[in-house]
Amino acid sequence: MEAAQKERLAALLAEVRVAILVTQGEQWPTATMQAFAETPEFDLLFIMNDATEKFQNLLRHPYVTVYLDAREKGKVETFEISRVLIQGIASEIARDGAEWEPLKEIFLKKSPFEAPFFRYPTLRMMRVRPKRLSYAGADRVAFKAEF
């Protein structure tokens, strides 16, 4: 990805607070709206309960699609909306591992309203490492990238 493309992607990820996470179940895909956070490398962080369908799906089928957009700031009637579709591979962040606390800080900096959920031992954090993406800006700039 070129520097200008990285800047556009970083700006959109920073602006949006929720994403749609699509996981593959045994028969049907499951789509859920989730708070998320992003790392400087564009990894996406999600939290969820270990008993949820999406978490169980991610353990069995780690290939996911994430969609997010800034429709509240765009012109919906002319589809001038910045948006990105990210396909990546999910993996669990171990609660007792070295990455947990630094990634928890990143997540809570963006979504402090999620802090109460970290009290529960059944909470899990998942990282989605992007493999490909398709970006379209409200200004009609578009690009695709592979990682």
Side-chain angles (χ1 to χ4, degrees):
M1 240 187 319
E2 299 171 9
Q5 292 171 332
K6 287 181 179 180
E7 287 176 21
R8 285 176 172 277
L9 179 59
L12 179 58
L13 292 173
E15 175 182 351
V16 177
R17 297 182 55 147
V18 295
I20 297 172
L21 174 65
V22 183
T23 63
Q24 181 59 51
E26 291 307 309
Q27 183 173 6
W28 307 104
T30 298
T32 54
M33 187 175 290
Q34 301 263 147
F36 77 98
E38 68 281 354
T39 70
E41 300 79 26
F42 302 119
D43 290 351
L44 304 178
L45 305 173
F46 296 92
I47 61 170
M48 57 198 69
N49 187 290
D50 65 2
T52 60
E53 183 177 4
K54 62 191 160 213
F55 180 73
Q56 296 303 315
N57 288 348
L58 290 170
L59 292 179
R60 288 189 293 272
H61 308 285
Y63 289 79
V64 301
T65 298
V66 178
Y67 174 80
L68 56 97
D69 66 43
R71 72 184 79 180
E72 68 280 354
K73 293 189 179 182
K75 291 183 185 177
V76 174
E77 63 279 0
T78 55
F79 221 66
E80 294 173 59
I81 302 166
S82 293
R83 58 204 180 274
V84 67
L85 183 84
I86 298 171
Q87 295 171 316
I89 302 173
S91 60
E92 185 175 0
I93 304 300
R95 264 189 107 100
D96 57 353
E99 293 181 299
W100 179 267
E101 285 301 321
L103 294 177
K104 175 182 170 185
E105 274 185 44
I106 290 170
F107 188 87
L108 289 176
K109 182 177 180 185
K110 182 166 190 166
S111 301
F113 53 89
E114 298 278 5
F117 294 108
F118 280 89
R119 289 187 300 226
Y120 301 110
T122 56
L123 180 85
R124 299 294 181 258
M125 187 182 329
M126 300 297 285
R127 172 189 7 231
V128 174
R129 286 215 158 109
K131 294 299 175 189
R132 7 182 308 183
L133 67 82
S134 178
Y135 172 94
D139 58 1
R140 307 293 190 209
V141 171
F143 62 88
K144 294 180 187 245
E146 295 201 18
F147 293 78

